[in-house]
Amino acid sequence: MSDAAPTPATAPACIPQIRLYQNWLRDQRGLSFASYRELWRWSTTELDAFWQSIWDYADLRSPTPHTAVLGRNVMPGAQWFPGAQVNYAQQVFRHVDAAHAAGQPAVISDDEKGRVRELSWPELRRQVASLALHLQAQGVQPGDRVAAYLPNLPETMVAFLATVSLGAIWSVCAPDMGTHAVLDRFRQIEPKVLIAVDGITWAGRDIDRSAVVRELRAGLPSVQHLLLLRRSDTIETIADGADWTSATARNDAQTAAFEPRWLPMDHPLWIVYSSGTTGLPKPIVHSHGGILLVAIATNLHMDVGSSYGANNFGERFHWYSSTGWVMWNCQVAGLLSGATCVIYDGSPGGPRDAPDWGVLWRFAARHGVTFLGSGAAFFAGCAKAGVDLAQCGDLSRVRALGSTGSPLSAEVQQWGTEQFRAIAKTEAQRDIWWFNISGGTDFAGGFIAGHRELPQRPGVMQCRMLGSAVEAWNDAGEPVLGQVGELVCTQPIPSMPLCFWNDPGNARYLASYFEMYPPGHGRNPRGGDLDSSAGSVWRHGDWLRVGDEQGQGEWCVIFGRSDATINRHGLRMGTSEIYSAVEALPEVLDSLVVDLEYLGRDSYMPLFVVLRPGSALDDGLRQRINDAIRQQLSPRFVPDDILQVPEIPRTLSGKKQELPIKKLLLGQPIDKVVNQEAMANPGSLPWYVAFAQQRAQAHTG
């Protein structure tokens, strides 16, 4: 039975995936390493040997051979496994027969209304084939874009796999996003097909999205075909929308014979969005081959195995996410390993009028989840709400907790560890393993991660990820240990973007990651510089410390963003998008927003507004500002405070001084964060200095 947990007599050995890989390196390559630092160093200096080992260890297959591993070591523009052909969906479907024979499902889904569904591996393949043939009949070709406005359902996984099996390019936005924010993304990529849901349930409320779907249809003239997934009880129809159920119902010789198309390694897989501080959201293009390789390497750290293999028999992998967060992509990647993906659609904090932070824990208990991941904000919410895991059902199968999205404080991690110690039924639960990871939508992977065989320390991540040549650099562009510096990656990773969509000359791509340091500086895999033709290191925009305070050990700590991008519980939004929503109100003349996320402190996002003379910041205006952000962007970006200010600090060129104000409010002195001679209005600063002092006194008091 698929729901049956392994009995004690047949419990999985659960040897860490990273240990199995090292055993393979020893047996197949004659390579042994005395420490993790040695293994990591090898993986980041011997790039060809490491990434070839990942290909071979995972038994990746191609109908044509590759002529090199890293054809060109240049950033950006590295060329990986030229000549090889792959397809993400091909790798998923390799598990169908073995997983089904072992009685393991592909997907188990649940939601706020308790609608539990199980999707077998053969049924997953059949639905994907049916939908792929439907899309093909609508004229979808390799390279066409298929946009989705869908929640975290099995249907979304099916839509993704059907799209990419044809060589079309997938892109999804979560239905909690408003029309304006979605159009800002999808208009840039000009999709041929739109797949949309007509309603969702969130925090105990049914929310009709049919009006938004009609607005999206009208606002996307490139769309030639609309496919509608019905989830609401509304009887409204949407003009020319085809029915999802019909599109996935086919079951004939053609669906049985369907095979995903073999594609070049660098064929685009999906387009994801990450917002900078200015302009429209960045439409980031990743490749089939790059994502496959990095997903496999990531899983060595994440330690999720195939559900049908003896080592991890019965594995049930859950990472709570909306489809608008890159952790949805991580959840789907569980299928690449042959793991059963257990997904939840709804609010992790329960209904708005009766908050309940035990929802996900009871969900995990019901479905025998073995790996439970979520954003750090979820675990913080549970700790603050005083959740008692002993009252949440049988959690005995949970062996690992995953956290990302924002820094996880030591206090919150310690809370979770103590909770599991109190309910422990296995040795692993007496010191539950936390897989704390930091990476980014930008490259759909991790830079910093966990390792089941390394020591744990609350609030600290365990190590830099294999294949990720990550360093903390000081102001002089030199690597440092034990000090907080700029997070840089000095060598290419296969999942780094192919490009930004419609970005002539890679102008936005280069400006986003590669313009802070001179080309060639720090680019030699063995240390030092290369010729400028090698390109620049990747500057990520996070503050990082490698090692403990004395620079010892593998420990890593992310202290928050080093730029002004807004990061709310793992979802990033450009400040320009917030300004566009807020400053459209007639009362608001100017505005500035900063995100004071920093390790060990609660996330705090104040919005400063300059009002038109005669306007007052009363409750009504506060509500209109919040509603504008909620409706045009997402409820996640509603500010914690709205404050009226005389002026917004600006540079001589007129740019808002977001980062200096952020640093000031994080406790740095004003003379260290801004050059007042380069400001258009230095007289605006005293208000912010006084506000920072008041906050500091309140924080210490």
Side-chain angles (χ1 to χ4, degrees), residues 209-438:
R209 302 312 265 169
S210 57
V212 176
V213 175
R214 282 192 290 271
E215 290 167 353
L216 294 179
R217 182 70 179 88
L220 294 169
S222 63
V223 170
Q224 299 175 17
H225 182 64
L226 171 65
L227 188 58
L228 189 64
L229 173 64
R230 293 200 169 275
R231 293 281 289 178
S232 76
D233 296 327
T234 179
I235 59 173
E236 292 187 48
T237 59
I238 297 176
D240 75 2
D243 179 59
W244 171 273
T245 302
S246 299
T248 55
R250 188 168 173 179
N251 188 11
D252 55 20
Q254 280 187 282
T255 53
F258 178 80
E259 290 288 341
R261 180 191 295 262
W262 290 107
L263 301 164
M265 284 285 292
D266 60 358
H267 188 85
L269 172 69
W270 58 45
I271 299 172
V272 294
Y273 304 91
S274 184
S275 297
T277 55
T278 59
L280 291 170
K282 299 175 291 191
I284 302 172
V285 185
H286 296 131
S287 69
H288 275 256
I291 292 297
L292 274 175
L293 286 164
V294 168
I296 293 162
T298 300
N299 198 54
L300 298 179
H301 291 270
M302 190 178 292
D303 201 46
V304 174
S306 74
S307 299
Y308 59 88
N311 193 68
N312 289 73
F313 188 81
E315 186 87 279
R316 292 195 168 182
F317 172 49
H318 169 74
W319 199 297
Y320 177 79
S321 179
S322 79
T323 53
W325 188 22
V326 76
M327 296 314 293
W328 177 83
N329 306 65
C330 174
Q331 171 77 81
V332 176
L335 297 174
L336 293 172
S337 301
T340 297
C341 291
V342 188
I343 62 176
Y344 183 78
D345 180 40
S347 168
R352 288 181 180 174
D353 56 355
D356 177 5
W357 288 93
V359 167
L360 278 189
W361 299 107
R362 293 192 299 274
F363 156 84
R366 275 196 307 277
H367 301 296
V369 168
T370 55
F371 185 113
L372 189 151
S374 188
F378 165 73
F379 295 107
C382 292
K384 288 180 181 178
V387 170
D388 181 4
L389 296 190
Q391 304 302 313
C392 293
D394 182 3
L395 292 166
S396 61
R397 297 203 66 212
V398 177
R399 61 177 180 82
L401 301 174
S403 173
T404 192
S406 55
L408 181 72
S409 72
E411 294 77 14
V412 171
Q413 184 169 336
Q414 191 61 43
W415 167 86
T417 299
E418 291 171 357
Q419 284 283 317
F420 268 91
R421 191 168 291 142
I423 64 170
K425 294 184 179 179
T426 65
E427 190 62 36
Q429 288 190 320
R430 290 187 182 90
D431 188 18
I432 193 78
W433 178 57
W434 288 83
F435 177 74
N436 298 333
I437 185 172
S438 180

Side-chain angles (χ1 to χ4, degrees), residues 613-694:
S615 297
L617 186 59
D618 55 19
D619 289 344
L621 180 54
R622 291 178 193 274
Q623 186 63 48
R624 289 195 296 279
I625 290 172
N626 286 337
D627 285 347
I629 295 171
R630 183 179 289 110
Q631 293 166 11
Q632 295 187 42
L633 302 175
S634 168
R636 299 170 190 267
F637 296 97
V638 170
D640 296 302
D641 270 336
I642 304 174
L643 302 110
Q644 184 174 355
V645 295
E647 288 183 275
I648 299 301
R650 291 184 180 270
T651 65
L652 290 172
S653 62
K655 185 176 180 181
K656 298 182 184 187
Q657 295 272 47
E658 297 161 329
L659 190 54
I661 296 303
K662 174 177 177 174
K663 290 181 176 179
L664 173 69
L665 296 181
L666 285 172
Q668 298 187 40
I670 188 66
D671 58 337
K672 296 290 186 182
V673 301
V674 67
N675 176 9
Q676 297 191 37
E677 294 181 358
M679 289 187 62
N681 56 346
S684 64
L685 292 176
W687 188 96
Y688 297 90
V689 172
F691 178 69
Q693 291 171 345
Q694 292 170 12

Side-chain angles (χ1 to χ4, degrees), residues 598-616:
Y598 199 77
L599 184 70
R601 304 181 190 177
D602 291 339
S603 175
Y604 175 67
M605 190 179 89
L607 172 68
F608 304 100
V609 294
V610 178
L611 300 183
R612 190 177 300 280
S615 297

